[in-house]
Amino acid sequence: MTHRAVPFFDYRSLFSSHENELLAIVSEVGRRGAFILQNDLAAFEEELSGFLGARWALGVGNATDGLHFAVRAAGVGPGDEVILSSHTMIATAAAIYFAGAVPVPVECGADHLIDPAAVEAAVTARTRAVMPTQLNGRTCDMDALQSIADKHGLLIIEDAAQALGSKFKGRCAGTFGAAGAISFYPAKVLGCLGDGGAVITNDNAMCQRMYQLRDHGRNASGKIVSWGLNSRLDNLQAAILGFQLKKYDRVMARRRCLASLYTERLKDVADIVLPPAPDSDPDRFDIYQNYEIEAERRDDLQRYLKDRGIGTLIQWGGQAVHHLKVLGFAQNLPYTDSLFTRLLMLPINMSLSDDDVHYVCDNIRACCGYPIG
Ligand SMILES: *Cc1c(COP(=O)(O)O)cnc(C)c1O
């Protein structure tokens, strides 16, 4: 096996793979002096809502702000509880916290997404909403969550930061509930050259309130009608994202190809649990933001791969939300605790060649004592 370097994610290639086109966009937008709330943003919002099949998409500074605005716009606040998966970024909980409500983390299931039974068990008289994370580019069982929400009169606000284009029963992540947020952080499947995000909604009143929250409480005529903050997607980033969105179908297809290759090469390795393969579930269209496996001897495997030039990552630095005692969490979630000793993300991104994936798989097989063949 010839040694090769397979970084977990190559930030430079996000720029260098399309350097000429990106520089042309910067020049063109720069010469127009079109930086804040300009046509490129409006055009991108239109393209994004069209892509998602949603009524509105609003560009915001990042997905964390988008989620925060969604929670506030939905009228969820002090005295309210919001249920989320403990296997998510702290940003999900922070959005709830900064709206004044209490984040209640619960267990995830075997596919690492929020467990509907755990959601139902956590409902109290104060519960106002569920915030499922469409983790790793896979959409939760939204039928199960919707029926719990209907039964208890709860809102759904989706953390779809990792799931642009992911579908459940033909419908895109981010379009199910009162609102959803998507992230354009550089390492996300649709990444910009800095921070960026969008909030998605089909509800006119939600749209108005989030529109104001992101821009100093101003309405479409520029008149101040409420309290607001400042969190707008930069017009320049929107122009870059508009360019990237045109190629997005190919990006999703490539990631699904890479996931199939991982499945094909690793499915017989008993020490490892793989994510569901593309098309293994007719209700799902997964976009593989991450390729998160479970490995019994996770730390040994990670070290073995690192010694051979392969970058892997443990999501959230290995800390589930309920592990963050410093923030006051004290839930007892044994399934998530045990899962978090096994989770590891393998590289999956647009700079990976098939040979890179073969090299990663050859090494995983060797580490686990399986023939390479
Ligand atoms: C990336 C991410 C966020 C935060 O997105 P930002 O745009 O960086 O604010 C929130 N939730 C999840 C699940 C994420 O992966």
Side-chain angles (χ1 to χ4, degrees), residues 190-240:
L190 188 75
C192 62
L193 305 179
D195 275 311
V199 275
I200 315 302
T201 187
N202 292 316
D203 181 298
N204 186 37
M206 284 290 292
C207 180
Q208 299 302 320
R209 285 193 288 268
M210 295 191 296
Y211 186 98
Q212 293 157 21
L213 278 165
R214 75 162 179 181
D215 184 34
H216 305 291
R218 292 193 276 237
N219 68 11
S221 335
K223 202 172 149 214
I224 294 166
V225 293
S226 60
W227 285 104
L229 293 153
N230 177 8
S231 182
R232 305 165 296 214
L233 176 62
D234 284 350
N235 190 68
L236 179 56
Q237 299 290 3
I240 289 167

Side-chain angles (χ1 to χ4, degrees), residues 61-65 67 87-92 133-135 159-162 182-185 188 195-197 289-290 315-316:
N62 53 74
T64 309
D65 283 354
L67 289 170
H87 186 356
T88 189
M89 190 179 179
I90 188 56
T92 322
T133 296
Q134 315 295 21
L135 191 75
D159 180 343
Q162 297 192 351
I182 286 168
S183 174
F184 307 124
Y185 180 85
K188 297 285 155 77
D195 275 311
Q289 162 67 57
N290 302 311
Q315 202 157 202
W316 326 129

Side-chain angles (χ1 to χ4, degrees), residues 3-40:
H3 189 283
R4 55 167 73 208
V6 184
F8 182 74
F9 186 81
D10 181 6
Y11 284 88
R12 282 167 308 185
S13 83
L14 189 64
F15 181 69
S16 59
S17 62
H18 296 96
E19 184 162 346
N20 292 336
E21 293 101 318
L22 292 170
L23 288 176
I25 292 169
V26 173
S27 299
E28 199 275 322
V29 172
R31 284 181 189 141
R32 278 190 278 127
F35 301 120
I36 303 288
L37 294 177
Q38 296 300 304
N39 289 345
D40 307 271

Side-chain angles (χ1 to χ4, degrees), residues 25-344:
I25 292 169
V26 173
S27 299
E28 199 275 322
V29 172
R31 284 181 189 141
R32 278 190 278 127
F35 301 120
I36 303 288
L37 294 177
Q38 296 300 304
N39 289 345
D40 307 271
L41 176 60
F44 173 64
E45 289 173 337
E46 186 90 29
E47 282 153 23
L48 184 64
S49 60
F51 172 83
L52 289 166
R55 286 182 74 188
W56 292 287
L58 296 174
V60 289
N62 53 74
T64 309
D65 283 354
L67 289 170
H68 175 207
F69 296 164
V71 177
R72 275 185 185 269
V76 175
D80 298 334
E81 292 174 359
V82 180
I83 298 169
L84 69 158
S85 172
S86 193
H87 186 356
T88 189
M89 190 179 179
I90 188 56
T92 322
I96 298 162
Y97 174 84
F98 281 107
V102 178
V104 179
V106 301
E107 299 271 30
C108 60
D111 66 355
H112 306 176
L113 304 180
I114 198 166
D115 175 9
V119 171
E120 177 123 53
V123 172
T124 72
R126 287 181 297 279
T127 309
R128 283 285 312 284
V130 187
M131 192 182 278
T133 296
Q134 315 295 21
L135 191 75
N136 298 332
R138 181 175 171 85
T139 306
C140 298
D141 180 342
M142 297 309 292
D143 285 348
L145 292 176
Q146 191 61 57
S147 70
I148 294 165
D150 290 345
K151 184 168 155 197
H152 299 278
L154 311 177
L155 294 163
I156 292 177
I157 296 169
E158 291 170 74
D159 180 343
Q162 297 192 351
L164 178 63
S166 167
K167 289 178 189 158
F168 176 73
K169 295 193 173 170
R171 191 162 159 189
C172 280
T175 69
F176 287 90
I182 286 168
S183 174
F184 307 124
Y185 180 85
K188 297 285 155 77
V189 183
L190 188 75
C192 62
L193 305 179
D195 275 311
V199 275
I200 315 302
T201 187
N202 292 316
D203 181 298
N204 186 37
M206 284 290 292
C207 180
Q208 299 302 320
R209 285 193 288 268
M210 295 191 296
Y211 186 98
Q212 293 157 21
L213 278 165
R214 75 162 179 181
D215 184 34
H216 305 291
R218 292 193 276 237
N219 68 11
S221 335
K223 202 172 149 214
I224 294 166
V225 293
S226 60
W227 285 104
L229 293 153
N230 177 8
S231 182
R232 305 165 296 214
L233 176 62
D234 284 350
N235 190 68
L236 179 56
Q237 299 290 3
I240 289 167
L241 286 162
F243 163 73
Q244 309 276 27
L245 187 61
K246 287 190 180 61
K247 302 180 282 135
Y248 197 64
D249 285 339
R250 266 179 291 148
V251 171
M252 291 189 291
R254 174 65 185 156
R255 285 186 173 257
R256 288 164 57 80
C257 256
L258 292 168
S260 294
L261 193 50
Y262 273 128
T263 304
E264 196 182 301
R265 291 294 321 278
L266 297 173
K267 60 179 186 289
D268 61 320
V269 180
D271 328 44
I272 286 176
V273 178
L274 302 176
D279 301 323
S280 56
D281 175 350
D283 289 341
R284 296 304 211 305
F285 182 84
D286 298 348
I287 58 138
Y288 297 92
Q289 162 67 57
N290 302 311
Y291 196 81
E292 189 176 55
I293 66 166
E294 297 172 36
E296 283 305 328
R297 292 166 45 248
R298 187 262 316 267
D299 295 342
D300 292 344
L301 177 62
Q302 185 174 38
R303 202 170 313 113
Y304 185 94
L305 296 176
K306 180 168 185 267
D307 290 345
R308 284 150 188 86
I310 300 164
T312 59
L313 200 68
I314 300 174
Q315 202 157 202
W316 326 129
Q319 291 207 289
V321 170
H322 78 285
H323 292 153
L324 297 165
K325 303 235 173 341
V326 68
L327 302 181
F329 292 102
Q331 286 78 10
N332 177 29
L333 304 176
Y335 181 80
T336 304
D337 289 346
S338 148
L339 184 68
F340 268 61
T341 65
R342 301 191 300 274
L343 294 179
L344 187 68

